[in-house]
Amino acid sequence: YPSSSLEVLDLSGGETPFSHFLPPGPPASPPVRLPALRLLLLADCRLTDADARPISHLCPRLEALDLSGNPLLSDAAVLPLAALRRTLRSLALKRLPLVTAHALAALRALPLQTLELRGSSVPPDEAEASLGIARRAAECGR
C-alpha cells in the first residue's frame, strides 16, 4: 500500500480502480489517507463516481488532480472536490461527457490556476465566466 509520505501517484491507464490500492477493512475502520500526496493522476482508469468521491478526504493536501478519460464520472465525482478549497490548483476533467455546468458551483471555492474541461458538457466560455479564472486557463480546456 502507498506510503503516508508519498507525494506523487500516477495510476493513469490502469485497469484497477483507485479504491483497490487501499487496504481492506471494515466500514467502521478509519480510512487510509495519503496526507502528503500533492499530485494524483488517474486518467483513463475506468473510474466510477464511487471510486472518485473519497479522493478529497483521502488526499487532503492535493494540489493537482487529473481525472480525464473516465467517461463514467459525473458531477457526483466533482462536487466533493470542493473540500480541497485550500490546496487544489490544477484540475483536469477532459473527456468527461457527464460533467456539466452544475459542477462549476462546487469548483468556485477552489484556488484553481488551471482547469481543463475539453470533452465535458461545459462550454469553455461558461467555465471562465462562472469561475472567474483567467481566459488562458479556460482555453487550455478547449
Side-chain angles (χ1 to χ4, degrees):
Y1 300 110
S3 163
S4 63
S5 62
L6 188 67
E7 292 186 15
V8 176
L9 183 57
D10 184 353
L11 300 174
S12 296
E15 299 286 324
T16 306
F18 175 60
S19 58
H20 290 184
F21 286 88
L22 304 174
S29 68
V32 172
R33 295 181 63 170
L34 300 170
L37 198 68
R38 294 180 300 113
L39 172 63
L40 180 57
L41 305 173
L42 294 172
D44 303 307
C45 286
R46 300 181 185 190
L47 297 178
T48 65
D49 288 341
D51 295 323
R53 271 188 213 113
I55 289 173
S56 59
H57 179 73
L58 298 173
C59 311
R61 291 194 178 108
L62 207 56
E63 295 174 12
L65 175 61
D66 187 350
L67 295 173
S68 300
N70 291 291
L72 297 178
L73 294 183
S74 70
D75 292 345
V78 176
L79 295 173
L81 298 177
L84 296 170
R85 65 186 163 273
R86 292 189 177 108
T87 61
L88 195 63
R89 289 176 176 40
S90 178
L91 180 60
L93 301 173
K94 298 180 289 187
R95 303 179 322 278
L96 301 181
L98 301 178
V99 171
T100 69
H102 177 69
L104 296 181
L107 301 180
R108 279 190 196 122
L110 299 175
L112 290 176
Q113 296 170 351
T114 304
L115 175 61
E116 299 181 61
L117 292 166
R118 185 176 0 120
S120 74
S121 296
V122 183
D125 55 340
E126 189 172 342
E128 176 188 337
S130 296
L131 297 173
I133 58 176
R135 183 164 192 72
R136 185 179 70 215
E139 287 177 339
C140 289
R142 286 194 180 155

